[in-house]
Amino acid sequence: MGDTKDFHEAPCTSERAVAKVLARRDGAVPKGAAVDCPLYTDFVLYVAESVPSAAASGDGSVSRGYACMRNLEAPHPGDPGMGGGPYTVVGDCVYAAGADQVKETACDGSGVRAAQYRVVSAVPSRAACPSSTALYVQLTGGQGVVGCARRV
């Protein structure tokens, strides 16, 4: 969690706006738990609880939780093959990152690590993957349980 930025609410039509909220969820996210965001979310913004001072112009407190964000302009790291976002989706590329672990990377080679596999389909079980499958990837976000990946 090395990169932290301050975000402030602004209308999406404002020149200061950089992303829009796709969904907002209240409550702390348990460590290791998956977020509940739309599939092509670019990034997740974690929100700390705050209570405005009496001098603040806000209309109330902000509860702890997270917001599922989508950049207003490209790049969109949550899109298939772009190397980011909270979910691995069909069209994404991954590389082996240790025992039984993969990490997403950009398919075009612009990521820190080169792609080794591309997820070509999402199916309910490993048995439903095509015979050309070289790697099975666990998927989240309501797109099937297993991602069938081919070597690139």
Side-chain angles (χ1 to χ4, degrees), residues 83-111:
Y87 303 121
T88 301
V89 298
V90 172
D92 277 342
C93 291
V94 297
Y95 64 89
D100 296 327
Q101 260 193 339
V102 295
K103 294 207 184 241
E104 192 176 332
T105 190
C107 293
D108 67 5
S110 65

Side-chain angles (χ1 to χ4, degrees), residues 1-141:
M1 309 227 174
D3 187 27
T4 59
K5 296 179 182 176
D6 286 332
F7 286 89
H8 300 279
E9 187 174 351
C12 286
T13 55
S14 168
E15 63 186 32
R16 298 178 334 170
V18 295
K20 65 181 174 179
V21 177
L22 299 176
R24 170 77 161 88
R25 310 285 188 234
D26 290 332
V29 179
K31 187 173 183 150
V35 294
D36 178 21
C37 286
L39 201 54
Y40 299 115
T41 297
D42 286 331
F43 65 98
V44 178
L45 178 63
Y46 292 92
V47 180
E49 187 170 10
S50 68
V51 179
S53 67
S57 61
D59 61 353
S61 64
V62 176
S63 62
R64 171 179 286 192
Y66 62 93
C68 308
M69 308 294 291
R70 177 85 173 164
N71 294 330
L72 290 177
E73 297 180 3
H76 293 288
D79 284 355
M82 296 301 294
Y87 303 121
T88 301
V89 298
V90 172
D92 277 342
C93 291
V94 297
Y95 64 89
D100 296 327
Q101 260 193 339
V102 295
K103 294 207 184 241
E104 192 176 332
T105 190
C107 293
D108 67 5
S110 65
V112 176
R113 297 277 306 270
Q116 295 176 316
Y117 305 92
R118 180 186 294 262
V119 179
V120 295
S121 61
V123 297
S125 68
R126 285 183 177 203
C129 282
S131 60
S132 60
T133 300
L135 180 73
Y136 303 99
V137 180
Q138 181 178 343
L139 302 177
T140 57

